Amino acid sequence: MDKRVKFDFEIYFTNGGSIKGEDFRLDIDGNTISDQELADYIVNDLRLLMVGEVKILNKEIFDETHKRKPISTKTEPDLLIDLSHMIEHGLVTYKGLPAPIVCDYLSREDSKQFYEEGTQFQIGKIEMVTNTGTYIDCPFHRFEDGKDLSEIGLECFTDLDAVVIRIPFSETRAITEAHLKNREIRNKAVLIHTGWDSYWNTEKYYENHPYLTEGAALYLRDCNVKLVGIDSHNIDNTAGKSRPVHTTLLQAEILIVEHLCNLSLLPQEDFTFSAIPPKFKGVGTFPVRAMAKISKSSFR
């Protein structure tokens, strides 16, 4: 049997005034609906602005044939996929660089002396190099006069149209221009999926890892991409002392994200990529919570 809900409501406005309704009835999809869902529906359906508190009163759900399309209690939010590794005490991201120290500056036990009984807080302390975990490089990382994290606009970090290019490490370690051709990449974030993240936090992760060649970097620069990410130890070949990919991309103000993960969960296109660091002055690299957002319309 179809379900309907009957309820009263009171809506109060932040600029004064209110409206009330009694014995309001709606068809619902399912056997129940929360007060919050009803409040949101009423506010949106009536196109109300400046809404403050909303009260749902005397709610009753009963059997009755639907009279119109029911309110769906199941929403289809955008799918968010975490593409960043967890940072924890002692994690080694780049061999030769110190692991982070994560500890209490003020423990909950020690905080008791500052607050009334039953009130406790923890204040953490982190000591680390900025190349820790999944991190983003901006021009200052490579160039003294390049833009640091505080000088890069939010639009460069957030909701970038993105594509994944899959180049398994089992096929090649050196990613060339040829691997990148025949894809629509202009003005997009390009994420290179090699599968190397499967070795994360192991000795093998640091050795003979996949990387981009200088020719691949030049091709990406000429295609005017916005950002390049990779799920590997470094976007450059670390066997030598030069870093041509960092040089080429950062000189063109193309951001780099290294140590990504979970790229296997993404479609090849039709999603956005975000990797937002804190707004530090005088810093060119910092960990990010990298993520992909896949619109619910992509699943249709």
PDB file of all heavy atoms in Angstrom, residues 32-66:
ATOM      1  N   THR A  32       8.914   5.668   5.631  1.00  0.00           N
ATOM      2  CA  THR A  32       9.164   6.706   6.621  1.00  0.00           C
ATOM      3  C   THR A  32       9.875   7.877   5.957  1.00  0.00           C
ATOM      4  O   THR A  32      10.385   7.767   4.825  1.00  0.00           O
ATOM      5  CB  THR A  32      10.017   6.168   7.783  1.00  0.00           C
ATOM      6  OG1 THR A  32      10.105   7.170   8.808  1.00  0.00           O
ATOM      7  CG2 THR A  32      11.421   5.808   7.324  1.00  0.00           C
ATOM      8  N   ILE A  33       9.901   9.003   6.655  1.00  0.00           N
ATOM      9  CA  ILE A  33      10.617  10.182   6.182  1.00  0.00           C
ATOM     10  C   ILE A  33      10.986  11.010   7.404  1.00  0.00           C
ATOM     11  O   ILE A  33      10.209  11.103   8.374  1.00  0.00           O
ATOM     12  CB  ILE A  33       9.768  10.996   5.182  1.00  0.00           C
ATOM     13  CG1 ILE A  33      10.585  12.135   4.557  1.00  0.00           C
ATOM     14  CG2 ILE A  33       8.490  11.536   5.823  1.00  0.00           C
ATOM     15  CD1 ILE A  33       9.896  12.789   3.361  1.00  0.00           C
ATOM     16  N   SER A  34      12.175  11.583   7.412  1.00  0.00           N
ATOM     17  CA  SER A  34      12.643  12.328   8.580  1.00  0.00           C
ATOM     18  C   SER A  34      12.050  13.734   8.607  1.00  0.00           C
ATOM     19  O   SER A  34      11.609  14.273   7.587  1.00  0.00           O
ATOM     20  CB  SER A  34      14.173  12.415   8.570  1.00  0.00           C
ATOM     21  OG  SER A  34      14.614  13.253   7.524  1.00  0.00           O
ATOM     22  N   ASP A  35      12.077  14.328   9.788  1.00  0.00           N
ATOM     23  CA  ASP A  35      11.623  15.721   9.913  1.00  0.00           C
ATOM     24  C   ASP A  35      12.469  16.655   9.055  1.00  0.00           C
ATOM     25  O   ASP A  35      11.950  17.612   8.459  1.00  0.00           O
ATOM     26  CB  ASP A  35      11.698  16.163  11.379  1.00  0.00           C
ATOM     27  CG  ASP A  35      10.649  15.483  12.245  1.00  0.00           C
ATOM     28  OD1 ASP A  35       9.848  14.697  11.702  1.00  0.00           O
ATOM     29  OD2 ASP A  35      10.643  15.739  13.468  1.00  0.00           O
ATOM     30  N   GLN A  36      13.778  16.386   8.996  1.00  0.00           N
ATOM     31  CA  GLN A  36      14.665  17.243   8.214  1.00  0.00           C
ATOM     32  C   GLN A  36      14.322  17.184   6.731  1.00  0.00           C
ATOM     33  O   GLN A  36      14.314  18.197   6.042  1.00  0.00           O
ATOM     34  CB  GLN A  36      16.123  16.833   8.427  1.00  0.00           C
ATOM     35  CG  GLN A  36      17.137  17.759   7.742  1.00  0.00           C
ATOM     36  CD  GLN A  36      17.069  19.174   8.271  1.00  0.00           C
ATOM     37  OE1 GLN A  36      17.177  19.403   9.474  1.00  0.00           O
ATOM     38  NE2 GLN A  36      16.878  20.149   7.387  1.00  0.00           N
ATOM     39  N   GLU A  37      14.020  15.982   6.229  1.00  0.00           N
ATOM     40  CA  GLU A  37      13.641  15.852   4.815  1.00  0.00           C
ATOM     41  C   GLU A  37      12.343  16.581   4.519  1.00  0.00           C
ATOM     42  O   GLU A  37      12.204  17.226   3.479  1.00  0.00           O
ATOM     43  CB  GLU A  37      13.518  14.367   4.456  1.00  0.00           C
ATOM     44  CG  GLU A  37      14.845  13.638   4.362  1.00  0.00           C
ATOM     45  CD  GLU A  37      14.679  12.140   4.199  1.00  0.00           C
ATOM     46  OE1 GLU A  37      13.935  11.525   4.986  1.00  0.00           O
ATOM     47  OE2 GLU A  37      15.306  11.585   3.270  1.00  0.00           O
ATOM     48  N   LEU A  38      11.388  16.521   5.446  1.00  0.00           N
ATOM     49  CA  LEU A  38      10.134  17.254   5.252  1.00  0.00           C
ATOM     50  C   LEU A  38      10.364  18.762   5.276  1.00  0.00           C
ATOM     51  O   LEU A  38       9.815  19.504   4.458  1.00  0.00           O
ATOM     52  CB  LEU A  38       9.134  16.861   6.349  1.00  0.00           C
ATOM     53  CG  LEU A  38       8.493  15.478   6.223  1.00  0.00           C
ATOM     54  CD1 LEU A  38       7.617  15.199   7.435  1.00  0.00           C
ATOM     55  CD2 LEU A  38       7.688  15.361   4.940  1.00  0.00           C
ATOM     56  N   ALA A  39      11.191  19.212   6.222  1.00  0.00           N
ATOM     57  CA  ALA A  39      11.489  20.641   6.309  1.00  0.00           C
ATOM     58  C   ALA A  39      12.153  21.133   5.031  1.00  0.00           C
ATOM     59  O   ALA A  39      11.778  22.182   4.475  1.00  0.00           O
ATOM     60  CB  ALA A  39      12.388  20.902   7.508  1.00  0.00           C
ATOM     61  N   ASP A  40      13.136  20.379   4.548  1.00  0.00           N
ATOM     62  CA  ASP A  40      13.824  20.781   3.317  1.00  0.00           C
ATOM     63  C   ASP A  40      12.863  20.806   2.139  1.00  0.00           C
ATOM     64  O   ASP A  40      12.928  21.702   1.276  1.00  0.00           O
ATOM     65  CB  ASP A  40      14.980  19.811   3.023  1.00  0.00           C
ATOM     66  CG  ASP A  40      16.119  19.940   4.015  1.00  0.00           C
ATOM     67  OD1 ASP A  40      16.175  20.964   4.718  1.00  0.00           O
ATOM     68  OD2 ASP A  40      16.958  19.018   4.077  1.00  0.00           O
ATOM     69  N   TYR A  41      11.960  19.834   2.069  1.00  0.00           N
ATOM     70  CA  TYR A  41      11.011  19.790   0.956  1.00  0.00           C
ATOM     71  C   TYR A  41      10.082  21.008   0.975  1.00  0.00           C
ATOM     72  O   TYR A  41       9.879  21.663  -0.048  1.00  0.00           O
ATOM     73  CB  TYR A  41      10.171  18.512   1.014  1.00  0.00           C
ATOM     74  CG  TYR A  41       9.136  18.468  -0.079  1.00  0.00           C
ATOM     75  CD1 TYR A  41       9.464  18.044  -1.368  1.00  0.00           C
ATOM     76  CD2 TYR A  41       7.827  18.890   0.157  1.00  0.00           C
ATOM     77  CE1 TYR A  41       8.528  18.035  -2.385  1.00  0.00           C
ATOM     78  CE2 TYR A  41       6.882  18.888  -0.854  1.00  0.00           C
ATOM     79  CZ  TYR A  41       7.230  18.458  -2.126  1.00  0.00           C
ATOM     80  OH  TYR A  41       6.296  18.468  -3.130  1.00  0.00           O
ATOM     81  N   ILE A  42       9.515  21.327   2.142  1.00  0.00           N
ATOM     82  CA  ILE A  42       8.599  22.462   2.243  1.00  0.00           C
ATOM     83  C   ILE A  42       9.292  23.764   1.855  1.00  0.00           C
ATOM     84  O   ILE A  42       8.775  24.583   1.085  1.00  0.00           O
ATOM     85  CB  ILE A  42       8.034  22.563   3.678  1.00  0.00           C
ATOM     86  CG1 ILE A  42       7.112  21.386   3.964  1.00  0.00           C
ATOM     87  CG2 ILE A  42       7.298  23.874   3.886  1.00  0.00           C
ATOM     88  CD1 ILE A  42       5.847  21.370   3.128  1.00  0.00           C
ATOM     89  N   VAL A  43      10.505  23.974   2.384  1.00  0.00           N
ATOM     90  CA  VAL A  43      11.248  25.210   2.092  1.00  0.00           C
ATOM     91  C   VAL A  43      11.556  25.316   0.598  1.00  0.00           C
ATOM     92  O   VAL A  43      11.371  26.379  -0.014  1.00  0.00           O
ATOM     93  CB  VAL A  43      12.550  25.258   2.920  1.00  0.00           C
ATOM     94  CG1 VAL A  43      13.448  26.402   2.449  1.00  0.00           C
ATOM     95  CG2 VAL A  43      12.222  25.403   4.397  1.00  0.00           C
ATOM     96  N   ASN A  44      12.008  24.211  -0.009  1.00  0.00           N
ATOM     97  CA  ASN A  44      12.346  24.250  -1.434  1.00  0.00           C
ATOM     98  C   ASN A  44      11.111  24.358  -2.311  1.00  0.00           C
ATOM     99  O   ASN A  44      11.092  25.097  -3.297  1.00  0.00           O
ATOM    100  CB  ASN A  44      13.147  22.996  -1.814  1.00  0.00           C
ATOM    101  CG  ASN A  44      14.518  22.958  -1.179  1.00  0.00           C
ATOM    102  OD1 ASN A  44      15.092  23.999  -0.894  1.00  0.00           O
ATOM    103  ND2 ASN A  44      15.045  21.771  -0.949  1.00  0.00           N
ATOM    104  N   ASP A  45      10.037  23.637  -1.945  1.00  0.00           N
ATOM    105  CA  ASP A  45       8.835  23.637  -2.765  1.00  0.00           C
ATOM    106  C   ASP A  45       8.148  24.996  -2.759  1.00  0.00           C
ATOM    107  O   ASP A  45       7.595  25.436  -3.774  1.00  0.00           O
ATOM    108  CB  ASP A  45       7.872  22.557  -2.263  1.00  0.00           C
ATOM    109  CG  ASP A  45       6.775  22.243  -3.260  1.00  0.00           C
ATOM    110  OD1 ASP A  45       7.116  21.950  -4.430  1.00  0.00           O
ATOM    111  OD2 ASP A  45       5.591  22.285  -2.891  1.00  0.00           O
ATOM    112  N   LEU A  46       8.193  25.679  -1.625  1.00  0.00           N
ATOM    113  CA  LEU A  46       7.592  27.007  -1.524  1.00  0.00           C
ATOM    114  C   LEU A  46       8.556  28.115  -1.933  1.00  0.00           C
ATOM    115  O   LEU A  46       8.189  29.286  -1.919  1.00  0.00           O
ATOM    116  CB  LEU A  46       7.104  27.250  -0.089  1.00  0.00           C
ATOM    117  CG  LEU A  46       5.997  26.303   0.421  1.00  0.00           C
ATOM    118  CD1 LEU A  46       5.626  26.650   1.851  1.00  0.00           C
ATOM    119  CD2 LEU A  46       4.777  26.368  -0.479  1.00  0.00           C
ATOM    120  N   ARG A  47       9.784  27.735  -2.277  1.00  0.00           N
ATOM    121  CA  ARG A  47      10.819  28.696  -2.712  1.00  0.00           C
ATOM    122  C   ARG A  47      11.022  29.807  -1.693  1.00  0.00           C
ATOM    123  O   ARG A  47      11.070  30.991  -2.020  1.00  0.00           O
ATOM    124  CB  ARG A  47      10.467  29.285  -4.084  1.00  0.00           C
ATOM    125  CG  ARG A  47      10.385  28.227  -5.175  1.00  0.00           C
ATOM    126  CD  ARG A  47      10.155  28.835  -6.530  1.00  0.00           C
ATOM    127  NE  ARG A  47      10.114  27.814  -7.565  1.00  0.00           N
ATOM    128  CZ  ARG A  47       9.965  28.048  -8.864  1.00  0.00           C
ATOM    129  NH1 ARG A  47       9.846  29.302  -9.287  1.00  0.00           N
ATOM    130  NH2 ARG A  47       9.935  27.061  -9.735  1.00  0.00           N
ATOM    131  N   LEU A  48      11.147  29.408  -0.448  1.00  0.00           N
ATOM    132  CA  LEU A  48      11.295  30.375   0.630  1.00  0.00           C
ATOM    133  C   LEU A  48      12.747  30.789   0.799  1.00  0.00           C
ATOM    134  O   LEU A  48      13.666  29.993   0.600  1.00  0.00           O
ATOM    135  CB  LEU A  48      10.785  29.762   1.937  1.00  0.00           C
ATOM    136  CG  LEU A  48       9.324  29.296   1.931  1.00  0.00           C
ATOM    137  CD1 LEU A  48       8.976  28.652   3.261  1.00  0.00           C
ATOM    138  CD2 LEU A  48       8.379  30.458   1.628  1.00  0.00           C
ATOM    139  N   LEU A  49      12.955  32.029   1.196  1.00  0.00           N
ATOM    140  CA  LEU A  49      14.287  32.570   1.461  1.00  0.00           C
ATOM    141  C   LEU A  49      14.362  33.041   2.908  1.00  0.00           C
ATOM    142  O   LEU A  49      13.346  33.241   3.573  1.00  0.00           O
ATOM    143  CB  LEU A  49      14.597  33.733   0.517  1.00  0.00           C
ATOM    144  CG  LEU A  49      14.570  33.439  -0.989  1.00  0.00           C
ATOM    145  CD1 LEU A  49      14.776  34.717  -1.785  1.00  0.00           C
ATOM    146  CD2 LEU A  49      15.615  32.416  -1.346  1.00  0.00           C
ATOM    147  N   MET A  50      15.557  33.242   3.386  1.00  0.00           N
ATOM    148  CA  MET A  50      15.808  33.754   4.734  1.00  0.00           C
ATOM    149  C   MET A  50      15.146  32.890   5.800  1.00  0.00           C
ATOM    150  O   MET A  50      14.607  33.365   6.791  1.00  0.00           O
ATOM    151  CB  MET A  50      15.315  35.210   4.858  1.00  0.00           C
ATOM    152  CG  MET A  50      15.812  36.137   3.774  1.00  0.00           C
ATOM    153  SD  MET A  50      17.596  36.448   3.888  1.00  0.00           S
ATOM    154  CE  MET A  50      17.676  37.495   5.321  1.00  0.00           C
ATOM    155  N   VAL A  51      15.202  31.570   5.597  1.00  0.00           N
ATOM    156  CA  VAL A  51      14.557  30.648   6.524  1.00  0.00           C
ATOM    157  C   VAL A  51      15.492  30.330   7.685  1.00  0.00           C
ATOM    158  O   VAL A  51      16.679  30.036   7.489  1.00  0.00           O
ATOM    159  CB  VAL A  51      14.155  29.350   5.795  1.00  0.00           C
ATOM    160  CG1 VAL A  51      13.629  28.315   6.791  1.00  0.00           C
ATOM    161  CG2 VAL A  51      13.105  29.648   4.737  1.00  0.00           C
ATOM    162  N   GLY A  52      14.957  30.392   8.889  1.00  0.00           N
ATOM    163  CA  GLY A  52      15.696  30.012  10.074  1.00  0.00           C
ATOM    164  C   GLY A  52      15.221  28.657  10.581  1.00  0.00           C
ATOM    165  O   GLY A  52      15.316  27.649   9.892  1.00  0.00           O
ATOM    166  N   GLU A  53      14.634  28.638  11.758  1.00  0.00           N
ATOM    167  CA  GLU A  53      14.168  27.387  12.346  1.00  0.00           C
ATOM    168  C   GLU A  53      12.913  26.883  11.636  1.00  0.00           C
ATOM    169  O   GLU A  53      12.020  27.664  11.291  1.00  0.00           O
ATOM    170  CB  GLU A  53      13.872  27.587  13.834  1.00  0.00           C
ATOM    171  CG  GLU A  53      13.427  26.323  14.556  1.00  0.00           C
ATOM    172  CD  GLU A  53      13.077  26.556  16.006  1.00  0.00           C
ATOM    173  OE1 GLU A  53      12.933  27.737  16.401  1.00  0.00           O
ATOM    174  OE2 GLU A  53      12.941  25.559  16.740  1.00  0.00           O
ATOM    175  N   VAL A  54      12.856  25.568  11.422  1.00  0.00           N
ATOM    176  CA  VAL A  54      11.668  24.916  10.863  1.00  0.00           C
ATOM    177  C   VAL A  54      11.260  23.797  11.815  1.00  0.00           C
ATOM    178  O   VAL A  54      12.069  22.936  12.162  1.00  0.00           O
ATOM    179  CB  VAL A  54      11.929  24.338   9.463  1.00  0.00           C
ATOM    180  CG1 VAL A  54      10.673  23.636   8.937  1.00  0.00           C
ATOM    181  CG2 VAL A  54      12.370  25.426   8.492  1.00  0.00           C
ATOM    182  N   LYS A  55       9.996  23.823  12.250  1.00  0.00           N
ATOM    183  CA  LYS A  55       9.488  22.789  13.147  1.00  0.00           C
ATOM    184  C   LYS A  55       8.480  21.916  12.403  1.00  0.00           C
ATOM    185  O   LYS A  55       7.581  22.431  11.744  1.00  0.00           O
ATOM    186  CB  LYS A  55       8.813  23.418  14.361  1.00  0.00           C
ATOM    187  CG  LYS A  55       9.742  24.196  15.274  1.00  0.00           C
ATOM    188  CD  LYS A  55       8.976  24.770  16.462  1.00  0.00           C
ATOM    189  CE  LYS A  55       9.903  25.527  17.396  1.00  0.00           C
ATOM    190  NZ  LYS A  55       9.148  26.093  18.548  1.00  0.00           N
ATOM    191  N   ILE A  56       8.649  20.614  12.509  1.00  0.00           N
ATOM    192  CA  ILE A  56       7.691  19.646  11.982  1.00  0.00           C
ATOM    193  C   ILE A  56       6.970  19.037  13.182  1.00  0.00           C
ATOM    194  O   ILE A  56       7.603  18.463  14.073  1.00  0.00           O
ATOM    195  CB  ILE A  56       8.386  18.544  11.157  1.00  0.00           C
ATOM    196  CG1 ILE A  56       9.190  19.162  10.002  1.00  0.00           C
ATOM    197  CG2 ILE A  56       7.370  17.541  10.629  1.00  0.00           C
ATOM    198  CD1 ILE A  56       8.362  19.904   8.972  1.00  0.00           C
ATOM    199  N   LEU A  57       5.642  19.163  13.196  1.00  0.00           N
ATOM    200  CA  LEU A  57       4.865  18.773  14.368  1.00  0.00           C
ATOM    201  C   LEU A  57       3.794  17.758  13.995  1.00  0.00           C
ATOM    202  O   LEU A  57       3.291  17.754  12.861  1.00  0.00           O
ATOM    203  CB  LEU A  57       4.205  20.011  14.996  1.00  0.00           C
ATOM    204  CG  LEU A  57       5.142  21.199  15.298  1.00  0.00           C
ATOM    205  CD1 LEU A  57       4.333  22.441  15.615  1.00  0.00           C
ATOM    206  CD2 LEU A  57       6.066  20.850  16.450  1.00  0.00           C
ATOM    207  N   ASN A  58       3.451  16.919  14.937  1.00  0.00           N
ATOM    208  CA  ASN A  58       2.314  15.998  14.790  1.00  0.00           C
ATOM    209  C   ASN A  58       2.414  15.146  13.530  1.00  0.00           C
ATOM    210  O   ASN A  58       1.409  14.940  12.830  1.00  0.00           O
ATOM    211  CB  ASN A  58       0.990  16.783  14.795  1.00  0.00           C
ATOM    212  CG  ASN A  58       0.831  17.637  16.044  1.00  0.00           C
ATOM    213  OD1 ASN A  58       1.129  17.190  17.154  1.00  0.00           O
ATOM    214  ND2 ASN A  58       0.374  18.869  15.854  1.00  0.00           N
ATOM    215  N   LYS A  59       3.614  14.648  13.252  1.00  0.00           N
ATOM    216  CA  LYS A  59       3.816  13.846  12.040  1.00  0.00           C
ATOM    217  C   LYS A  59       3.150  12.489  12.189  1.00  0.00           C
ATOM    218  O   LYS A  59       3.301  11.826  13.220  1.00  0.00           O
ATOM    219  CB  LYS A  59       5.310  13.690  11.761  1.00  0.00           C
ATOM    220  CG  LYS A  59       5.623  12.928  10.477  1.00  0.00           C
ATOM    221  CD  LYS A  59       7.113  12.953  10.170  1.00  0.00           C
ATOM    222  CE  LYS A  59       7.896  12.110  11.147  1.00  0.00           C
ATOM    223  NZ  LYS A  59       9.338  12.023  10.788  1.00  0.00           N
ATOM    224  N   GLU A  60       2.459  12.088  11.137  1.00  0.00           N
ATOM    225  CA  GLU A  60       1.781  10.788  11.134  1.00  0.00           C
ATOM    226  C   GLU A  60       1.902  10.173   9.749  1.00  0.00           C
ATOM    227  O   GLU A  60       1.626  10.840   8.747  1.00  0.00           O
ATOM    228  CB  GLU A  60       0.314  10.969  11.498  1.00  0.00           C
ATOM    229  CG  GLU A  60      -0.489   9.679  11.467  1.00  0.00           C
ATOM    230  CD  GLU A  60      -1.975   9.908  11.688  1.00  0.00           C
ATOM    231  OE1 GLU A  60      -2.346  11.024  12.114  1.00  0.00           O
ATOM    232  OE2 GLU A  60      -2.754   8.979  11.410  1.00  0.00           O
ATOM    233  N   ILE A  61       2.336   8.921   9.689  1.00  0.00           N
ATOM    234  CA  ILE A  61       2.456   8.214   8.411  1.00  0.00           C
ATOM    235  C   ILE A  61       1.360   7.154   8.348  1.00  0.00           C
ATOM    236  O   ILE A  61       1.139   6.410   9.307  1.00  0.00           O
ATOM    237  CB  ILE A  61       3.847   7.584   8.263  1.00  0.00           C
ATOM    238  CG1 ILE A  61       4.919   8.684   8.189  1.00  0.00           C
ATOM    239  CG2 ILE A  61       3.921   6.695   7.021  1.00  0.00           C
ATOM    240  CD1 ILE A  61       6.339   8.183   8.194  1.00  0.00           C
ATOM    241  N   PHE A  62       0.685   7.105   7.210  1.00  0.00           N
ATOM    242  CA  PHE A  62      -0.456   6.193   7.090  1.00  0.00           C
ATOM    243  C   PHE A  62      -0.553   5.668   5.666  1.00  0.00           C
ATOM    244  O   PHE A  62       0.088   6.185   4.737  1.00  0.00           O
ATOM    245  CB  PHE A  62      -1.750   6.910   7.499  1.00  0.00           C
ATOM    246  CG  PHE A  62      -2.021   8.173   6.740  1.00  0.00           C
ATOM    247  CD1 PHE A  62      -2.806   8.185   5.594  1.00  0.00           C
ATOM    248  CD2 PHE A  62      -1.466   9.383   7.162  1.00  0.00           C
ATOM    249  CE1 PHE A  62      -3.055   9.344   4.896  1.00  0.00           C
ATOM    250  CE2 PHE A  62      -1.703  10.560   6.462  1.00  0.00           C
ATOM    251  CZ  PHE A  62      -2.490  10.541   5.319  1.00  0.00           C
ATOM    252  N   ASP A  63      -1.374   4.624   5.486  1.00  0.00           N
ATOM    253  CA  ASP A  63      -1.613   4.037   4.167  1.00  0.00           C
ATOM    254  C   ASP A  63      -2.663   4.842   3.416  1.00  0.00           C
ATOM    255  O   ASP A  63      -3.738   5.127   3.952  1.00  0.00           O
ATOM    256  CB  ASP A  63      -2.107   2.590   4.306  1.00  0.00           C
ATOM    257  CG  ASP A  63      -1.054   1.672   4.899  1.00  0.00           C
ATOM    258  OD1 ASP A  63       0.141   1.982   4.747  1.00  0.00           O
ATOM    259  OD2 ASP A  63      -1.421   0.650   5.519  1.00  0.00           O
ATOM    260  N   GLU A  64      -2.302   5.217   2.183  1.00  0.00           N
ATOM    261  CA  GLU A  64      -3.277   5.892   1.319  1.00  0.00           C
ATOM    262  C   GLU A  64      -2.711   5.939  -0.089  1.00  0.00           C
ATOM    263  O   GLU A  64      -1.512   6.130  -0.274  1.00  0.00           O
ATOM    264  CB  GLU A  64      -3.585   7.304   1.812  1.00  0.00           C
ATOM    265  CG  GLU A  64      -4.746   7.960   1.081  1.00  0.00           C
ATOM    266  CD  GLU A  64      -5.175   9.270   1.743  1.00  0.00           C
ATOM    267  OE1 GLU A  64      -5.781   9.206   2.840  1.00  0.00           O
ATOM    268  OE2 GLU A  64      -4.872  10.335   1.182  1.00  0.00           O
ATOM    269  N   THR A  65      -3.563   5.765  -1.063  1.00  0.00           N
ATOM    270  CA  THR A  65      -3.117   5.762  -2.448  1.00  0.00           C
ATOM    271  C   THR A  65      -2.492   7.104  -2.807  1.00  0.00           C
ATOM    272  O   THR A  65      -3.027   8.172  -2.454  1.00  0.00           O
ATOM    273  CB  THR A  65      -4.302   5.476  -3.389  1.00  0.00           C
ATOM    274  OG1 THR A  65      -4.880   4.229  -3.018  1.00  0.00           O
ATOM    275  CG2 THR A  65      -3.838   5.419  -4.840  1.00  0.00           C
ATOM    276  N   HIS A  66      -1.362   7.065  -3.504  1.00  0.00           N
ATOM    277  CA  HIS A  66      -0.676   8.290  -3.915  1.00  0.00           C
ATOM    278  C   HIS A  66      -1.538   9.117  -4.865  1.00  0.00           C
ATOM    279  O   HIS A  66      -2.242   8.579  -5.721  1.00  0.00           O
ATOM    280  CB  HIS A  66       0.647   7.954  -4.606  1.00  0.00           C
ATOM    281  CG  HIS A  66       1.713   7.520  -3.631  1.00  0.00           C
ATOM    282  ND1 HIS A  66       2.890   6.969  -4.041  1.00  0.00           N
ATOM    283  CD2 HIS A  66       1.771   7.569  -2.272  1.00  0.00           C
ATOM    284  CE1 HIS A  66       3.642   6.696  -2.979  1.00  0.00           C
ATOM    285  NE2 HIS A  66       2.984   7.044  -1.901  1.00  0.00           N
TER     286      HIS A  66
END
